Amino acid sequence: MESVNQLQRKLAEYTASLYNEKILDEQFIQLQQLQDENNPDFVVEVVSLFFEDSERLLNELAKALNQTNVDFKKLDANVHQLKGSSSSIGAQRVQRVCIAFRNYCDERNVEGCLQCLQQVKNEYTLVKNKLETLFKLEKQFVDAGGSFPVA
Amino acid sequence: MSSSYDVSSSLNNKNANLNVGKKLKALIVDDDPIVRMVHKALLKKFGMETHEAKNGQEAVLTQRSGACFDLILMDLDMPVMNGRQATKELRDMHVCSLIAGVTSLGEAEKKSFMDAGLDYYYQKPLAIDVVRNLVEKIKDDA
């Protein structure tokens, strides 16, 4: 059974790695600053909504690219939404792929779009796993008696 | 193309219609539910009461039904009616609100959005400090 101090260190190191690997950016810190006693589950709520919405958008993107006549306008609108929501939670790498994805939509480049779709799926899966691990570590820390903000 | 929005007369209207002494009210206009959720938390943190609209048309209809907001956060790209069109319509209605465009645009698009009648323009995503300053400014003007 790990001590609070060990868990605190583990949590700090894991969090730092997320920023170092640019999986998350400063926007995620802003979300954490918005969490308080009036809004105690804010980060988990926003991130959960992001997961739900992203999965829907990724399905829409796959469907759109599967058509014989690709509707690039619709495709671009969905990528634009994914770019917006990923930037709102600080999912930097997802946002970056969306920018490239939109360029391919502008060029009506199906091959490029398909590549970006695969990339954005990979980046989304990565950030989802990382955030789920982060929340698990936070819970372990709190269950062991730790509290935020970390002293 | 000149805007019908006149700064001095709308300022007088704003002072007359503001919810003086009560909680400041904001309308968040964005088609993305995640952005709405984040902006709601940002504004609530600084004591504002928040309302939401999913697109420009909902924003306009809310105003037409008699609501009066101290601040409207307006996204640009929305279905049904975009932020530029909604801003123009709201200005034509001589609303009492400060309207802040919030989006991620290049300089050219920013100018045309500002020209529709924005009081402020901010890059998405909104930072806590930006919102703190904006709310302070609204409280001072109230």
Side-chain angles (χ1 to χ4, degrees), chain A residues 58-100:
Chain A
L58 288 171
N59 282 337
E60 291 294 320
L61 292 174
K63 238 186 348 198
L65 280 168
N66 221 5
Q67 307 297 313
T68 337
N69 286 321
V70 175
D71 183 347
F72 285 101
K73 203 169 166 208
K74 189 169 178 198
L75 195 62
D76 182 71
N78 282 328
V79 178
H80 174 76
Q81 242 207 315
L82 184 58
K83 173 174 164 281
S85 53
S86 59
S87 109
S88 297
I89 70 143
Q92 197 187 96
R93 279 155 66 151
V94 174
Q95 185 197 352
R96 291 218 173 134
V97 179
C98 288
I99 294 171

Short mmCIF file of all heavy atoms in Angstrom, two decimals, chain A residues 58-100:
data_model
loop_
_atom_site.label_atom_id
_atom_site.label_comp_id
_atom_site.label_asym_id
_atom_site.label_seq_id
_atom_site.Cartn_x
_atom_site.Cartn_y
_atom_site.Cartn_z
N LEU A 58 -15.63 11.30 -34.30
CA LEU A 58 -14.75 10.38 -35.03
C LEU A 58 -15.58 9.40 -35.88
O LEU A 58 -15.20 9.09 -37.01
CB LEU A 58 -13.84 9.62 -34.05
CG LEU A 58 -12.73 10.47 -33.41
CD1 LEU A 58 -12.03 9.71 -32.29
CD2 LEU A 58 -11.71 10.90 -34.45
N ASN A 59 -16.72 8.98 -35.35
CA ASN A 59 -17.61 8.11 -36.14
C ASN A 59 -18.14 8.84 -37.36
O ASN A 59 -18.19 8.28 -38.46
CB ASN A 59 -18.80 7.63 -35.29
CG ASN A 59 -18.41 6.52 -34.36
OD1 ASN A 59 -17.43 5.81 -34.60
ND2 ASN A 59 -19.16 6.36 -33.29
N GLU A 60 -18.52 10.11 -37.15
CA GLU A 60 -19.04 10.92 -38.26
C GLU A 60 -17.97 11.10 -39.33
O GLU A 60 -18.26 11.04 -40.53
CB GLU A 60 -19.47 12.31 -37.76
CG GLU A 60 -20.71 12.31 -36.88
CD GLU A 60 -21.96 11.88 -37.63
OE1 GLU A 60 -22.15 12.27 -38.79
OE2 GLU A 60 -22.74 11.10 -37.04
N LEU A 61 -16.73 11.33 -38.88
CA LEU A 61 -15.63 11.53 -39.83
C LEU A 61 -15.39 10.27 -40.65
O LEU A 61 -15.22 10.34 -41.87
CB LEU A 61 -14.35 11.93 -39.08
CG LEU A 61 -14.38 13.31 -38.41
CD1 LEU A 61 -13.12 13.52 -37.58
CD2 LEU A 61 -14.50 14.41 -39.44
N ALA A 62 -15.39 9.13 -39.99
CA ALA A 62 -15.17 7.85 -40.70
C ALA A 62 -16.29 7.61 -41.71
O ALA A 62 -16.03 7.22 -42.86
CB ALA A 62 -15.10 6.70 -39.70
N LYS A 63 -17.52 7.89 -41.28
CA LYS A 63 -18.68 7.70 -42.18
C LYS A 63 -18.56 8.61 -43.39
O LYS A 63 -18.76 8.18 -44.53
CB LYS A 63 -19.97 8.05 -41.41
CG LYS A 63 -20.94 6.91 -41.36
CD LYS A 63 -22.31 7.13 -40.76
CE LYS A 63 -22.62 8.33 -40.00
NZ LYS A 63 -23.82 8.20 -39.14
N ALA A 64 -18.20 9.87 -43.15
CA ALA A 64 -18.11 10.86 -44.24
C ALA A 64 -17.04 10.47 -45.25
O ALA A 64 -17.24 10.62 -46.47
CB ALA A 64 -17.81 12.23 -43.66
N LEU A 65 -15.92 9.93 -44.76
CA LEU A 65 -14.83 9.56 -45.67
C LEU A 65 -15.11 8.25 -46.40
O LEU A 65 -14.42 7.90 -47.35
CB LEU A 65 -13.50 9.48 -44.91
CG LEU A 65 -12.85 10.85 -44.65
CD1 LEU A 65 -11.72 10.73 -43.64
CD2 LEU A 65 -12.34 11.45 -45.96
N ASN A 66 -16.13 7.53 -45.93
CA ASN A 66 -16.49 6.26 -46.54
C ASN A 66 -17.43 6.42 -47.75
O ASN A 66 -17.70 5.47 -48.47
CB ASN A 66 -17.18 5.38 -45.49
CG ASN A 66 -16.73 3.95 -45.57
OD1 ASN A 66 -15.84 3.62 -46.34
ND2 ASN A 66 -17.37 3.09 -44.79
N GLN A 67 -17.94 7.65 -47.91
CA GLN A 67 -18.89 7.90 -48.99
C GLN A 67 -18.17 7.91 -50.34
O GLN A 67 -16.99 8.25 -50.42
CB GLN A 67 -19.59 9.25 -48.80
CG GLN A 67 -20.24 9.45 -47.44
CD GLN A 67 -21.34 8.46 -47.19
OE1 GLN A 67 -22.20 8.24 -48.04
NE2 GLN A 67 -21.32 7.83 -46.04
N THR A 68 -18.92 7.59 -51.41
CA THR A 68 -18.34 7.65 -52.75
C THR A 68 -18.02 9.10 -53.10
O THR A 68 -16.94 9.41 -53.61
CB THR A 68 -19.33 7.10 -53.82
OG1 THR A 68 -20.26 6.23 -53.17
CG2 THR A 68 -18.60 6.35 -54.90
N ASN A 69 -19.00 9.97 -52.81
CA ASN A 69 -18.75 11.41 -53.00
C ASN A 69 -18.61 12.05 -51.65
O ASN A 69 -19.59 12.29 -50.95
CB ASN A 69 -19.93 12.07 -53.74
CG ASN A 69 -19.95 11.70 -55.20
OD1 ASN A 69 -18.90 11.61 -55.83
ND2 ASN A 69 -21.14 11.48 -55.74
N VAL A 70 -17.36 12.30 -51.27
CA VAL A 70 -17.09 12.84 -49.92
C VAL A 70 -17.62 14.27 -49.82
O VAL A 70 -17.34 15.11 -50.66
CB VAL A 70 -15.58 12.81 -49.61
CG1 VAL A 70 -15.30 13.47 -48.27
CG2 VAL A 70 -15.07 11.38 -49.62
N ASP A 71 -18.40 14.52 -48.76
CA ASP A 71 -18.91 15.87 -48.50
C ASP A 71 -17.86 16.59 -47.66
O ASP A 71 -17.85 16.50 -46.43
CB ASP A 71 -20.26 15.78 -47.76
CG ASP A 71 -20.89 17.13 -47.52
OD1 ASP A 71 -20.21 18.15 -47.69
OD2 ASP A 71 -22.07 17.16 -47.14
N PHE A 72 -16.96 17.32 -48.33
CA PHE A 72 -15.84 17.95 -47.62
C PHE A 72 -16.30 19.07 -46.68
O PHE A 72 -15.65 19.34 -45.68
CB PHE A 72 -14.80 18.48 -48.61
CG PHE A 72 -13.96 17.40 -49.21
CD1 PHE A 72 -14.22 16.91 -50.49
CD2 PHE A 72 -12.92 16.82 -48.48
CE1 PHE A 72 -13.47 15.88 -51.03
CE2 PHE A 72 -12.15 15.79 -49.02
CZ PHE A 72 -12.43 15.32 -50.30
N LYS A 73 -17.43 19.67 -47.02
CA LYS A 73 -17.94 20.76 -46.17
C LYS A 73 -18.34 20.19 -44.81
O LYS A 73 -18.01 20.73 -43.76
CB LYS A 73 -19.14 21.40 -46.86
CG LYS A 73 -19.41 22.80 -46.41
CD LYS A 73 -20.43 23.51 -47.28
CE LYS A 73 -20.90 24.78 -46.58
NZ LYS A 73 -22.25 25.18 -46.95
N LYS A 74 -19.06 19.05 -44.87
CA LYS A 74 -19.52 18.41 -43.63
C LYS A 74 -18.31 17.88 -42.86
O LYS A 74 -18.23 17.99 -41.63
CB LYS A 74 -20.46 17.26 -44.01
CG LYS A 74 -21.18 16.64 -42.84
CD LYS A 74 -22.29 15.70 -43.29
CE LYS A 74 -22.93 15.07 -42.06
NZ LYS A 74 -23.69 13.89 -42.38
N LEU A 75 -17.38 17.30 -43.61
CA LEU A 75 -16.16 16.77 -43.00
C LEU A 75 -15.45 17.88 -42.25
O LEU A 75 -15.08 17.74 -41.08
CB LEU A 75 -15.28 16.22 -44.12
CG LEU A 75 -14.12 15.29 -43.77
CD1 LEU A 75 -14.63 14.02 -43.12
CD2 LEU A 75 -13.35 14.94 -45.04
N ASP A 76 -15.26 19.02 -42.93
CA ASP A 76 -14.55 20.14 -42.34
C ASP A 76 -15.27 20.66 -41.10
O ASP A 76 -14.63 20.99 -40.10
CB ASP A 76 -14.40 21.27 -43.36
CG ASP A 76 -13.63 22.44 -42.81
OD1 ASP A 76 -12.40 22.28 -42.63
OD2 ASP A 76 -14.23 23.49 -42.51
N ALA A 77 -16.58 20.71 -41.16
CA ALA A 77 -17.37 21.20 -40.01
C ALA A 77 -17.14 20.32 -38.79
O ALA A 77 -17.00 20.81 -37.66
CB ALA A 77 -18.84 21.25 -40.35
N ASN A 78 -17.10 18.99 -39.01
CA ASN A 78 -16.86 18.08 -37.89
C ASN A 78 -15.44 18.18 -37.35
O ASN A 78 -15.22 18.14 -36.14
CB ASN A 78 -17.16 16.64 -38.30
CG ASN A 78 -18.65 16.35 -38.32
OD1 ASN A 78 -19.41 16.91 -37.54
ND2 ASN A 78 -19.08 15.48 -39.23
N VAL A 79 -14.46 18.32 -38.26
CA VAL A 79 -13.07 18.47 -37.81
C VAL A 79 -12.94 19.77 -37.04
O VAL A 79 -12.26 19.82 -36.00
CB VAL A 79 -12.07 18.45 -39.00
CG1 VAL A 79 -10.65 18.65 -38.49
CG2 VAL A 79 -12.17 17.16 -39.77
N HIS A 80 -13.59 20.81 -37.51
CA HIS A 80 -13.56 22.11 -36.83
C HIS A 80 -14.08 21.99 -35.41
O HIS A 80 -13.52 22.54 -34.46
CB HIS A 80 -14.41 23.11 -37.63
CG HIS A 80 -14.59 24.43 -36.96
ND1 HIS A 80 -13.60 25.39 -36.91
CD2 HIS A 80 -15.65 24.96 -36.31
CE1 HIS A 80 -14.05 26.44 -36.27
NE2 HIS A 80 -15.28 26.23 -35.89
N GLN A 81 -15.16 21.21 -35.24
CA GLN A 81 -15.71 21.02 -33.90
C GLN A 81 -14.75 20.26 -33.01
O GLN A 81 -14.56 20.61 -31.83
CB GLN A 81 -17.04 20.26 -33.98
CG GLN A 81 -18.19 21.08 -33.46
CD GLN A 81 -19.32 20.27 -32.90
OE1 GLN A 81 -19.73 19.29 -33.50
NE2 GLN A 81 -19.83 20.66 -31.77
N LEU A 82 -14.13 19.22 -33.56
CA LEU A 82 -13.18 18.42 -32.78
C LEU A 82 -11.98 19.28 -32.40
O LEU A 82 -11.47 19.20 -31.27
CB LEU A 82 -12.74 17.18 -33.58
CG LEU A 82 -11.83 16.19 -32.85
CD1 LEU A 82 -12.48 15.67 -31.57
CD2 LEU A 82 -11.46 15.03 -33.75
N LYS A 83 -11.55 20.14 -33.30
CA LYS A 83 -10.44 21.04 -33.03
C LYS A 83 -10.80 21.97 -31.88
O LYS A 83 -10.01 22.18 -30.96
CB LYS A 83 -10.11 21.85 -34.28
CG LYS A 83 -9.08 22.95 -34.09
CD LYS A 83 -8.71 23.59 -35.42
CE LYS A 83 -8.02 24.92 -35.22
NZ LYS A 83 -8.89 26.03 -34.92
N GLY A 84 -12.01 22.50 -31.92
CA GLY A 84 -12.48 23.42 -30.89
C GLY A 84 -12.57 22.76 -29.52
O GLY A 84 -12.09 23.31 -28.51
N SER A 85 -13.17 21.58 -29.48
CA SER A 85 -13.35 20.94 -28.17
C SER A 85 -12.03 20.43 -27.62
O SER A 85 -11.78 20.52 -26.42
CB SER A 85 -14.40 19.84 -28.22
OG SER A 85 -14.12 18.92 -29.24
N SER A 86 -11.14 19.92 -28.47
CA SER A 86 -9.85 19.44 -27.98
C SER A 86 -9.02 20.62 -27.46
O SER A 86 -8.33 20.50 -26.44
CB SER A 86 -9.08 18.65 -29.04
OG SER A 86 -8.84 19.44 -30.18
N SER A 87 -9.13 21.77 -28.11
CA SER A 87 -8.39 22.93 -27.62
C SER A 87 -8.99 23.44 -26.30
O SER A 87 -8.26 23.92 -25.45
CB SER A 87 -8.32 24.02 -28.69
OG SER A 87 -9.12 25.11 -28.37
N SER A 88 -10.28 23.26 -26.11
CA SER A 88 -10.93 23.69 -24.86
C SER A 88 -10.46 22.90 -23.66
O SER A 88 -10.52 23.41 -22.54
CB SER A 88 -12.44 23.52 -24.93
OG SER A 88 -12.98 24.33 -25.91
N ILE A 89 -10.06 21.63 -23.85
CA ILE A 89 -9.61 20.88 -22.69
C ILE A 89 -8.08 20.76 -22.65
O ILE A 89 -7.52 20.19 -21.74
CB ILE A 89 -10.25 19.47 -22.59
CG1 ILE A 89 -9.75 18.54 -23.68
CG2 ILE A 89 -11.76 19.54 -22.58
CD1 ILE A 89 -9.59 17.11 -23.15
N GLY A 90 -7.41 21.30 -23.65
CA GLY A 90 -5.95 21.27 -23.65
C GLY A 90 -5.35 20.04 -24.29
O GLY A 90 -4.18 19.74 -24.08
N ALA A 91 -6.13 19.33 -25.11
CA ALA A 91 -5.61 18.13 -25.79
C ALA A 91 -4.86 18.58 -27.04
O ALA A 91 -5.36 18.52 -28.16
CB ALA A 91 -6.75 17.18 -26.14
N GLN A 92 -3.63 19.06 -26.80
CA GLN A 92 -2.85 19.76 -27.81
C GLN A 92 -2.58 18.92 -29.06
O GLN A 92 -2.68 19.43 -30.19
CB GLN A 92 -1.53 20.19 -27.18
CG GLN A 92 -0.80 21.26 -27.95
CD GLN A 92 0.57 21.53 -27.38
OE1 GLN A 92 1.56 20.98 -27.84
NE2 GLN A 92 0.63 22.36 -26.36
N ARG A 93 -2.21 17.66 -28.87
CA ARG A 93 -1.84 16.86 -30.04
C ARG A 93 -3.05 16.55 -30.91
O ARG A 93 -2.93 16.51 -32.14
CB ARG A 93 -1.10 15.60 -29.61
CG ARG A 93 0.36 15.93 -29.33
CD ARG A 93 1.04 14.99 -28.39
NE ARG A 93 1.18 13.65 -28.91
CZ ARG A 93 2.15 12.83 -28.58
NH1 ARG A 93 3.09 13.22 -27.74
NH2 ARG A 93 2.19 11.61 -29.05
N VAL A 94 -4.20 16.35 -30.31
CA VAL A 94 -5.43 16.13 -31.08
C VAL A 94 -5.73 17.38 -31.89
O VAL A 94 -6.01 17.32 -33.10
CB VAL A 94 -6.62 15.79 -30.16
CG1 VAL A 94 -7.91 15.70 -30.96
CG2 VAL A 94 -6.37 14.51 -29.39
N GLN A 95 -5.62 18.54 -31.21
CA GLN A 95 -5.89 19.82 -31.88
C GLN A 95 -4.98 20.01 -33.08
O GLN A 95 -5.42 20.43 -34.16
CB GLN A 95 -5.68 20.95 -30.87
CG GLN A 95 -6.04 22.31 -31.42
CD GLN A 95 -5.47 23.44 -30.60
OE1 GLN A 95 -4.90 23.22 -29.52
NE2 GLN A 95 -5.61 24.65 -31.07
N ARG A 96 -3.68 19.67 -32.93
CA ARG A 96 -2.72 19.87 -34.01
C ARG A 96 -3.05 19.04 -35.23
O ARG A 96 -2.97 19.53 -36.36
CB ARG A 96 -1.31 19.53 -33.55
CG ARG A 96 -0.80 20.52 -32.56
CD ARG A 96 0.65 20.83 -32.73
NE ARG A 96 1.00 21.93 -31.82
CZ ARG A 96 2.06 21.94 -31.05
NH1 ARG A 96 2.89 20.92 -31.06
NH2 ARG A 96 2.30 22.95 -30.25
N VAL A 97 -3.46 17.79 -35.01
CA VAL A 97 -3.81 16.95 -36.15
C VAL A 97 -5.04 17.52 -36.84
O VAL A 97 -5.13 17.49 -38.08
CB VAL A 97 -4.05 15.48 -35.73
CG1 VAL A 97 -4.45 14.64 -36.94
CG2 VAL A 97 -2.83 14.88 -35.07
N CYS A 98 -5.96 18.07 -36.07
CA CYS A 98 -7.17 18.66 -36.66
C CYS A 98 -6.83 19.81 -37.60
O CYS A 98 -7.50 19.99 -38.62
CB CYS A 98 -8.13 19.15 -35.57
SG CYS A 98 -8.94 17.82 -34.68
N ILE A 99 -5.81 20.58 -37.25
CA ILE A 99 -5.40 21.70 -38.10
C ILE A 99 -4.95 21.17 -39.46
O ILE A 99 -5.37 21.66 -40.52
CB ILE A 99 -4.30 22.54 -37.42
CG1 ILE A 99 -4.88 23.22 -36.18
CG2 ILE A 99 -3.74 23.59 -38.39
CD1 ILE A 99 -3.87 23.91 -35.29
N ALA A 100 -4.10 20.12 -39.44
CA ALA A 100 -3.62 19.51 -40.68
C ALA A 100 -4.80 18.89 -41.45
O ALA A 100 -4.89 19.01 -42.68
CB ALA A 100 -2.58 18.45 -40.37
#
